[in-house]
Amino acid sequence: MTPPGTVVVVGSSVAGVRCVQALRSEGFSGRVVLVGEETQLPYDKPPLSKQFLAGFWDTARVALLTAERAAELDVELRLGSAAERLDLAGRQVHLADGSTLAWDAAVLATGAAARPSPWHTDSGVHVVRTLADAQALRADLDTDAPVVVVGGGFIGAEVAATAHSLGRDVTVVDPLAAPIGRVVGAEVGQYFTALHQRHGVQTRFGVGVESVSGSSGDLVVVLTDGTELPAGTVIVGIGATPNDGWLADSGLLVENGVTCDEHCRAVDAPDVYAVGDLARWLHPSHDEHVRVEHWTNAVDSAVVAAHNIVHPDDLRAHAPVEYVWSDQYDWKIQIVGRPATATRHELIGSWEGTSARGAAVYTDVSGQLRGAVTVNWPKALVLCRRLLMAGTTFGEAMTQLNALPAAVAR
Ligand SMILES: Cc1cc2nc3c(=O)[nH]c(=O)nc-3n(C[C@H](O)[C@H](O)[C@H](O)COP(=O)(O)OP(=O)(O)OC[C@H]3O[C@@H](n4cnc5c(N)ncnc54)[C@H](O)[C@@H]3O)c2cc1C
């Protein structure tokens, strides 16, 4: 696109909002339209399983963009109307309300949806993806009854920690022996299991769910080993799938998200970009297409896409060092790089008890640093991120980490 013109950004969460903001900060003076399926003003998702669910933060605190700020940025909000079809040849987006929006560049930021519960009851079974989900769950958590969380990944673990903080009896169920082990490896995963147990949250890992029946306040979760768990509320946190169904007949290459090049441009579709949880882009350092469901990736990819729209002669690649955080009980967990692709790791510091402060550092067969998981140790995280960006060896990373004061102290 030769700016100015019209940029239509579809999806009004963090990737979409950061993209419209970045278009303006990059100097784009054309028309900017932000389309969102939900009627609410854009809000942020990470607090929905943490501070918002716990009742510490209200809706104002999770806002990403106010109507006033949108007006200041001269961004047109088209909320409450889903995009239903992308017409590449005609350069239009068709919305559910029957209207169409013409674009010179389109940014697709429709994110992902919670994988729905396979068990259907009248009430009491929740997923947590949207503000409405979190509000409904929060209301159910006000009752005294026990809570069963199905899925011990990050969202499940956070919701379990929050429900526990509200005084609920919580059981987390997952067919995997160490659910977070998928990301961090089995040994480190055991520390996350122990974290639940230390707080008195029951874990039933290595066993699946057969059925959920009843209704809110009076549910029964039957496990595959025959155990019956009574529950007032059940939360199903079994992953997310990209919101790419509306693009199925668009002509875009859609395979577990929208396939993009390293510049966040959809393959074979000039002037169409995909960002955030929806995008499966060619990561230049990994030399493969990846789709990442992390907040920081949504922000960074949105900024790259905006830059590339405004400066087509100075294209930037989206080549982040992956980063995600999670807050569970008294642990601030931060993960950088790609621990899941490593062959070996070493532990530093303390991984147990109330004063845990440690790092797991990951390497591959070539001796390169691949990633790190830190607990309550932001300095180590920052260092590892810097070392990963610099392409440091595992040995050098260990030397530098061991020299950090916190590691010596424990
Ligand atoms: C409860 C929760 C806690 C999280 N905690 C963390 C955390 O601690 N750390 C971390 O790194 N990440 C966390 N994440 C992940 C992070 O929030 C996501 O990576 C991020 O929200 C992705 O942003 P996005 O804008 O790409 O997609 P989404 O947030 O999924 O937003 C997509 C938007 O597009 C809209 N949309 C969908 N389809 C259409 C359509 N057809 N037309 C118009 N609009 C549409 C949706 O309504 C939504 O508003 C968490 C996610 C959740 C759900």
Side-chain angles (χ1 to χ4, degrees), residues 10-16 35-38 43-50 81-84 109-113 128-130 155 158 243 246 275-278 292-296 298 323-327:
V10 185
S12 58
S13 191
V14 64
V35 177
E37 176 177 33
E38 294 169 270
Y43 59 84
D44 214 4
K45 294 199 166 70
L48 300 184
S49 50
K50 312 177 184 74
S81 196
E84 287 193 327
T110 50
V128 189
R129 182 79 199 179
T130 66
I155 302 274
E158 290 182 354
N243 286 322
W246 70 283
V275 294
D277 284 12
L278 177 72
V292 175
E293 293 176 2
H294 298 165
W295 189 93
T296 310
Y323 169 73
V324 63
W325 79 93
S326 177
D327 300 321

Side-chain angles (χ1 to χ4, degrees), residues 43-395:
Y43 59 84
D44 214 4
K45 294 199 166 70
L48 300 184
S49 50
K50 312 177 184 74
Q51 301 92 336
F52 184 82
L53 188 61
F56 297 141
W57 290 11
D58 60 10
T59 44
R61 186 92 187 255
V62 299
L64 281 171
L65 184 71
T66 61
E68 295 72 31
R69 186 66 193 131
E72 277 165 26
L73 289 169
D74 193 15
V75 168
E76 291 173 41
L77 294 178
R78 293 289 296 269
L79 302 179
S81 196
E84 287 193 327
R85 198 164 69 80
L86 183 73
D87 172 3
L88 287 182
R91 292 183 163 241
Q92 289 187 330
V93 181
H94 295 256
L95 305 189
D97 64 9
S99 64
T100 54
L101 288 166
W103 47 264
D104 297 292
V107 181
L108 314 178
T110 50
R115 193 164 281 134
S117 167
W119 309 284
H120 303 289
T121 60
D122 288 344
S123 57
V125 176
H126 297 259
V127 295
V128 189
R129 182 79 199 179
T130 66
L131 185 63
D133 293 339
Q135 284 166 327
L137 173 59
R138 183 71 183 83
D140 269 11
L141 288 178
D142 273 342
T143 60
D144 255 357
V147 170
V148 173
V149 178
V150 182
F154 284 110
I155 302 274
E158 290 182 354
V159 170
T162 303
H164 168 76
S165 76
L166 293 169
R168 302 288 80 83
D169 280 340
V170 183
T171 303
V172 189
V173 182
D174 197 298
L176 296 178
I180 290 182
R182 270 181 303 206
V183 182
V184 300
E187 187 200 1
V188 178
Q190 293 299 337
Y191 289 108
F192 290 91
T193 302
L195 177 65
H196 288 298
Q197 293 164 352
R198 177 161 61 82
H199 285 85
V201 166
Q202 310 288 317
T203 56
R204 296 300 312 270
F205 291 166
V207 56
V209 171
E210 186 69 46
S211 66
V212 182
S213 57
S215 58
S216 182
D218 185 22
L219 295 157
V220 179
V221 180
V222 180
L223 306 188
T224 47
D225 66 2
T227 309
E228 293 191 2
L229 301 173
T233 304
V234 172
I235 299 112
V236 178
I238 53 173
T241 51
N243 286 322
D244 56 15
W246 70 283
L247 297 163
D249 65 355
S250 64
L252 291 178
L253 185 56
V254 177
E255 277 173 349
N256 178 32
V258 175
T259 310
C260 296
D261 67 10
E262 69 272 34
H263 303 294
C264 302
R265 295 180 304 192
V267 168
D268 292 335
D271 302 317
V272 178
Y273 296 74
V275 294
D277 284 12
L278 177 72
R280 200 174 65 85
W281 89 102
L282 180 62
H283 193 303
S285 313
H286 308 335
D287 210 18
E288 62 176 340
H289 285 87
V290 291
R291 193 175 70 78
V292 175
E293 293 176 2
H294 298 165
W295 189 93
T296 310
N297 179 64
V299 172
D300 292 348
S301 58
V303 170
V304 167
H307 172 90
N308 290 343
I309 289 169
V310 182
H311 304 287
D313 298 331
D314 173 33
L315 291 179
R316 278 190 196 152
H318 179 44
V321 170
E322 284 89 336
Y323 169 73
V324 63
W325 79 93
S326 177
D327 300 321
Q328 299 170 26
Y329 309 99
D330 47 5
W331 278 19
K332 171 97 190 162
I333 300 150
Q334 294 175 289
I335 303 177
V336 66
R338 305 177 91 200
T341 64
T343 51
R344 189 170 74 79
H345 69 270
E346 283 188 24
L347 297 176
I348 305 178
S350 162
W351 278 79
E352 282 160 307
T354 48
S355 60
R357 175 174 291 196
V361 190
Y362 295 78
T363 184
D364 59 15
V365 280
S366 72
Q368 277 303 115
L369 178 64
R370 297 291 296 189
V373 179
T374 65
V375 169
N376 298 336
W377 199 7
K379 272 199 179 124
L381 188 282
V382 170
L383 175 61
C384 288
R385 193 175 197 174
R386 190 158 54 72
L387 297 174
L388 277 162
M389 287 167 90
T392 312
T393 63
F394 176 71

